[in-house]
């Protein structure tokens, strides 16, 4: 069997970034929905390119979440630096919301 015949797995850093993204998305959905004074528009930050599996999941969840919250939910793709840019954007937004 040659190297080309073997199925290739994504590098460990990419798998870690995907896990972190899914965990952040889940944490945002779990903890973000319990806020008493929710903003008029909620945003799901996806640190992955549009059209990818994580983006698809976020776009499937967004309408259901919007119906539950009673206001629009946007999906914001922030890709780059193996997910670090998206994670930083989500952390900045969480800090800004907590400061209100």
């Amino acid at each position: 069997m040659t190297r080309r015949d073997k199925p290739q797995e994504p590098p460990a850093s990419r798998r870690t970034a995907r896990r972190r993204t899914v965990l952040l998305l889940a944490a945002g959905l779990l903890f973000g929905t319990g806020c008493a004074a929710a903003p008029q528009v909620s945003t799901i930050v996806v640190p992955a390119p549009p059209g990818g599996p994580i983006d698809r999941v976020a776009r499937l969840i967004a309408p259901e979440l919007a119906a539950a919250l009673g206001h629009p939910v946007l999906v914001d793709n922030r890709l780059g630096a193996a997910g670090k840019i998206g994670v930083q954007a989500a952390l900045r937004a969480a800090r800004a919301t907590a400061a209100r």
Side-chain angles (χ1 to χ4, degrees):
M1 197 180 241
T2 64
R3 285 183 102 184
R4 290 185 178 179
D5 295 336
K6 294 180 183 178
Q8 294 188 2
E9 290 185 28
S13 62
R14 193 173 208 177
R15 283 182 292 198
T16 303
R18 283 184 185 165
R19 285 185 194 135
R20 182 178 13 174
T21 301
V22 170
L23 288 174
L24 282 173
L25 180 63
L29 291 175
L30 289 175
F31 299 115
T33 58
C35 296
Q40 294 300 318
V41 177
S42 295
T43 304
I44 299 174
V45 178
V46 179
I54 296 170
D55 180 57
R56 288 185 199 141
V57 169
R59 291 183 189 277
L60 286 172
I61 291 172
E64 300 294 326
L65 188 59
L69 294 175
H71 60 265
V73 176
L74 302 175
V75 177
D76 185 15
N77 295 86
R78 298 282 182 105
L79 59 146
K84 188 174 181 179
I85 293 172
V87 171
Q88 288 175 342
L91 289 174
R92 267 188 245 114
R95 288 185 191 133
T97 304
R100 286 185 196 173

